[in-house]
Amino acid sequence: MYNSKGRYALMAVFTVAALVCLFYAQYQLASFAGFLFGFILWSHFRHSSVLLASKYFKNGDHERAEELLNEVPNADRLAKNRRGYYEFMRANIALKKEDYAAAEFHFQIASRFPLGGKNDKAFVMIHLANLALRKKDKVRSNAYLEKAKELAVTPKAQEIIIKIEKEVNSL
């Protein structure tokens, strides 16, 4: 759970350790340091700073979360379980900034990846339905709501779905 600078520092430490071990002919320790360097490099591309960003996101510090999400070198390389959270946080941050096109884009991507559970996926569909409603697209909004109904587990999610359905029917 490091940011990019922390990972780069660890990679530098393991590189120096490997070189020192090679200088003293400690090949097993050098290979272990090389393995740790490779693990940190792999972690940088597959997990990046998403977990750390989610910590700030849950605490309501969206600016810091966005900074950490900007450190992700390539979102396509993230592990499946990290990519869903990455896109979900990106979408919610875009909603806060009232950038609805970006929010819809990121929610669309988040809907394709696993999230915490059915209810989390239901909230993605609810957001997509709400964004479609904002565009007055009744067909897409209904389609998202039907999918959200299948996934919604909590009373709060079901209540939101009913409210959006009423608004869609009033169009």
Side-chain angles (χ1 to χ4, degrees):
M1 195 160 87
Y2 296 103
N3 63 1
S4 292
K5 290 179 185 178
R7 278 196 200 86
Y8 294 145
L10 278 174
M11 285 189 268
V13 166
F14 290 135
T15 301
V16 170
L19 292 174
V20 168
C21 290
L22 285 174
F23 180 76
Y24 287 110
Q26 297 294 319
Y27 301 115
Q28 290 174 339
L29 288 175
S31 64
F32 184 67
F35 169 76
L36 291 175
F37 172 86
F39 178 75
I40 297 296
L41 185 63
W42 172 83
S43 165
H44 178 65
F45 289 110
R46 296 294 288 175
H47 299 285
S48 199
S49 303
V50 175
L51 188 62
L52 189 58
S54 70
K55 175 184 165 190
Y56 286 104
F57 183 80
K58 287 177 184 175
N59 291 335
D61 189 357
H62 297 289
E63 293 82 23
R64 181 70 177 130
E66 187 176 19
E67 287 175 20
L68 290 166
L69 290 175
N70 288 337
E71 291 181 357
V72 175
N74 185 355
D76 293 332
R77 291 184 187 154
L78 288 173
K80 282 184 180 181
N81 60 344
R82 296 286 187 242
R83 180 75 188 268
Y85 286 113
Y86 171 84
E87 297 295 345
F88 183 76
M89 286 185 287
R90 280 276 185 207
N92 278 303
I93 290 169
L95 274 179
K96 295 275 186 206
K97 292 181 175 181
E98 296 181 5
D99 185 0
Y100 300 116
E104 184 176 9
F105 174 76
H106 289 293
F107 277 129
Q108 288 283 351
I109 295 172
S111 70
R112 296 183 191 125
F113 290 96
L115 289 170
K118 281 185 169 184
N119 209 49
D120 292 336
K121 189 77 97 171
F123 275 106
V124 169
M125 293 300 162
I126 289 169
H127 281 297
L128 285 169
N130 201 12
L131 290 167
L133 177 65
R134 180 178 292 278
K135 292 181 176 180
K136 299 192 186 317
D137 189 349
K138 191 174 184 177
V139 175
R140 285 179 56 199
S141 187
N142 280 328
Y144 290 133
L145 286 173
E146 289 303 315
K147 186 68 176 170
K149 282 181 191 176
E150 295 172 12
L151 299 170
V153 198
T154 63
K156 180 181 178 183
Q158 293 169 348
E159 179 183 320
I160 294 170
I161 291 170
I162 292 169
K163 285 181 183 177
I164 294 174
E165 277 182 329
K166 288 178 184 175
E167 289 183 38
V168 168
N169 292 332
S170 69
L171 283 179

